[in-house]
Amino acid sequence: MKNLCCILFVLITTISFAQLDRRIGRTPQMNNSNSQKKVDPKEAALNYLKKELNLDTFQEAATKTFIEENMKEREFILGLDISEAYKIEKLTVSNEKMNTQMKTILNENQKVLLEKLKEKNSKDKKKKSKKDKKEEKDELILEEN
C-alpha cells in the first residue's frame, strides 16, 4: 500500500510538472531584430532622397531642415481640432511648400528625378487604396455570409 501511494504521488507530481510552461520569464529563443529597430522617419526620408537624388552635402543639410520643418508643421496640423477635409487641405499646402523649397536647391536632373518619385509614390498610394477597398468589400461579403 505504501509503495502504491508513493508511485501514485510521483506519477501525479510528474504529470503536473510536465504541464507547466517553462518559457515563462525567459527570453525568446529567436531574436526578432526587425521589431527592435526603431527607424526615425526624418532620417529614413533623408536617406531615401539622398540615395535617389544623389544629394551633395549642402543639399543634404538643406533637405534635412526642410523635412524637419515639414514634420513639425504636420504634427501641428494633425493636432488641430478641425475637420478632416481641412486638415488634408492644410497638409497638401504644407507638402507643396516643402516641394517648392526642395526645387530651389536642386539642379535640373534632380528636379526631374523628384517629379518621377512623386508620380511613383502617388501611383503606389492609389494601388494601395484600391487593394484596401477590395479587401473591405471582401470582408463585408464574408460577414454577410
Side-chain angles (χ1 to χ4, degrees):
M1 187 68 177
K2 248 185 183 180
N3 288 339
L4 183 60
C5 287
C6 285
I7 292 173
L8 190 59
F9 176 77
V10 170
L11 182 64
I12 292 172
T13 313
T14 306
I15 291 172
S16 64
F17 279 118
Q19 293 178 357
L20 287 178
D21 187 5
R22 303 225 183 258
R23 292 177 291 153
I24 296 174
R26 291 186 181 178
T27 58
Q29 297 296 327
M30 291 179 17
N31 290 335
N32 192 356
S33 60
N34 292 340
S35 65
Q36 295 175 355
K37 291 182 181 177
K38 301 253 179 171
V39 178
D40 183 26
K42 296 173 192 172
E43 290 297 320
L46 180 64
N47 290 336
Y48 177 73
L49 289 174
K50 180 181 173 184
K51 183 181 101 181
E52 295 294 324
L53 300 177
N54 300 321
L55 300 176
D56 61 20
T57 54
F58 167 73
Q59 291 172 329
E60 183 180 345
T63 302
K64 182 176 181 179
T65 304
F66 298 151
I67 290 172
E68 287 174 351
E69 288 174 1
N70 185 271
M71 291 285 187
K72 286 178 186 176
E73 192 171 347
R74 178 179 288 170
E75 289 173 7
F76 175 74
I77 292 169
L78 292 175
L80 293 175
D81 189 24
I82 55 177
S83 70
E84 292 298 316
Y86 196 60
K87 283 182 183 180
I88 291 171
E89 183 180 323
K90 284 193 163 284
L91 288 171
T92 305
V93 170
S94 175
N95 286 337
E96 288 301 320
K97 177 184 165 188
M98 187 182 95
N99 287 332
T100 305
Q101 290 174 332
M102 286 286 296
K103 287 179 182 179
T104 61
I105 62 166
L106 298 177
N107 63 34
E108 292 303 316
N109 293 335
Q110 291 171 327
K111 288 178 186 177
V112 171
L113 288 173
L114 182 64
E115 289 300 319
K116 287 181 182 178
L117 288 175
K118 285 178 15 182
E119 287 175 13
K120 178 184 169 189
N121 287 338
S122 66
K123 287 179 184 177
D124 289 345
K125 286 181 184 178
K126 286 180 183 177
K127 286 180 183 178
K128 286 181 184 178
S129 66
K130 286 181 182 178
K131 286 181 184 178
D132 291 341
K133 288 179 183 177
K134 184 177 179 182
E135 289 174 0
E136 288 176 9
K137 287 180 184 177
D138 292 342
E139 288 176 5
L140 290 175
I141 290 171
L142 291 174
E143 288 177 3
E144 289 175 359
N145 294 333

